[in-house]
Amino acid sequence: MPGYRHTSLLAGALALAAALAFADPGAAQDRGGASTVEVSDEGRELYEQICQSCHMADAKGGGVPGAMFPALAGNPRLADHDYASIVVLKGRGGMPWFTDILTRPQIAAVINYVRGHFNAYPDAVTVADLDRITTANPPVPDCNCGH
């Protein structure tokens, strides 16, 4: 039942997000103009609680043909922090958007965790970056899921 798996994953993510809504949003990383990504405990926790159910604990993705989850580890597309921000804010394919689920500081924290822990991209995503992207309203990037 392909629709059931997607529905149950989304329901689980939404339930978890509701629980996280009561977390302290001030604890997330917003580094302003930091030149290196600092991996926060909150970013790790959000990844483990929400993202790894699809992208796996090692962030190498997986799944079966027709239901593949892209790898985040070693993903060159994440070098562009706007790309990562747009996808998390707006969703893409089977991935839900997180604009109404997580706070902006939480979104920045989890993106910085993925970009810093599973990759070595040096520039941090900030709440100001997320605000800029939301204001500019760029389109969701095309999926090149062959990686």
Side-chain angles (χ1 to χ4, degrees):
M1 299 172 81
Y4 176 76
R5 176 173 164 77
H6 175 71
T7 302
S8 64
L9 286 174
L10 182 57
L14 291 174
L16 177 60
L20 290 172
F22 296 102
D24 177 16
Q29 298 294 316
D30 178 16
R31 296 285 178 217
S35 61
T36 60
V37 174
E38 182 174 317
V39 176
S40 73
D41 285 339
E42 182 176 26
R44 179 188 49 78
E45 290 169 5
L46 289 166
Y47 182 84
E48 290 173 354
Q49 294 172 355
I50 298 174
C51 310
Q52 83 175 14
S53 64
C54 295
H55 296 284
M56 306 300 137
D58 61 4
K60 292 183 180 177
V64 295
M68 295 298 293
F69 299 102
L72 301 177
N75 186 329
R77 296 187 91 184
L78 298 179
D80 176 0
H81 64 64
D82 282 0
Y83 170 84
S85 299
I86 293 166
V87 171
V88 174
L89 286 168
K90 295 183 166 198
R92 186 179 72 195
M95 183 175 144
W97 62 89
F98 287 92
T99 303
D100 299 330
I101 298 172
L102 300 173
T103 65
R104 298 262 169 95
Q106 289 173 322
I107 291 171
V110 74
I111 292 171
N112 287 332
Y113 174 73
V114 168
R115 294 180 78 244
H117 181 74
F118 298 113
N119 300 279
Y121 301 123
D123 54 330
V125 172
T126 67
V127 171
D129 291 325
L130 299 174
D131 291 342
R132 175 182 49 79
I133 288 167
T134 301
T135 302
N137 196 27
V140 176
D142 289 333
C143 182
N144 179 6
C145 297
H147 50 91

